[in-house]
Amino acid sequence: MDWNELLWHTERRLGMYVGRLRYDRAYSMVTGFDLARGQGDLARFQVWMAERHGDTALAWPSLVLKEVFGNRAGEESLRTDEDHQIAIEHLCERLREFLNLPENDPR
């Protein structure tokens, strides 16, 4: 599995792997995948996201939420299933942008 395939599954089949569709489960799955690959992509993603936000001390999962929800960013901003889905989709979009991946079906 590569990043493109993982992100496709994260957006479309997350529940099959982690149960409920929740943002924290999506970024945990992405983090686990990155750790298993051992290439440090998310460490570079953290730097990239921090640069986009003016060298902030926030971690990338919080920065993704800040982009989606603005000042009300944080775990408490995820009140509805739709909020979680929007955050998950935005996470995948940002990772695709960072990794320079196409937005098509990897299969």
Side-chain angles (χ1 to χ4, degrees):
M1 183 178 289
D2 62 10
W3 274 110
N4 201 26
E5 188 175 357
L6 176 85
L7 295 175
W8 186 88
H9 284 279
T10 300
E11 281 181 313
R12 292 168 183 83
R13 295 185 172 172
L14 182 64
M16 185 171 87
Y17 299 101
V18 298
R20 294 190 69 199
L21 300 177
R22 292 293 178 251
Y23 178 68
D24 62 330
R25 293 179 185 197
Y27 74 70
S28 294
M29 189 164 108
V30 166
T31 300
F33 180 77
D34 182 63
L35 289 172
R37 285 176 48 94
Q39 296 180 2
D41 292 325
L42 289 183
R44 291 187 298 280
F45 182 62
Q46 172 63 42
V47 171
W48 185 77
M49 287 293 287
E51 288 172 353
R52 290 173 59 93
H53 290 272
D55 198 30
T56 181
L58 292 175
W60 64 262
S62 296
L63 292 172
V64 169
L65 291 179
K66 183 177 179 181
E67 288 183 1
V68 175
F69 299 107
N71 291 334
R72 68 177 190 103
E75 292 292 326
E76 66 279 356
S77 64
L78 298 166
R79 295 188 178 127
T80 67
D81 291 343
E82 183 178 76
D83 290 341
H84 283 275
Q85 187 62 43
I86 291 168
I88 292 165
E89 289 171 2
H90 192 74
L91 168 61
C92 293
E93 287 173 18
R94 279 294 167 258
L95 279 167
R96 278 192 191 95
E97 181 181 353
F98 169 71
L99 296 165
N100 198 27
L101 297 173
E103 293 187 34
N104 59 359
D105 188 336
R107 296 176 290 145

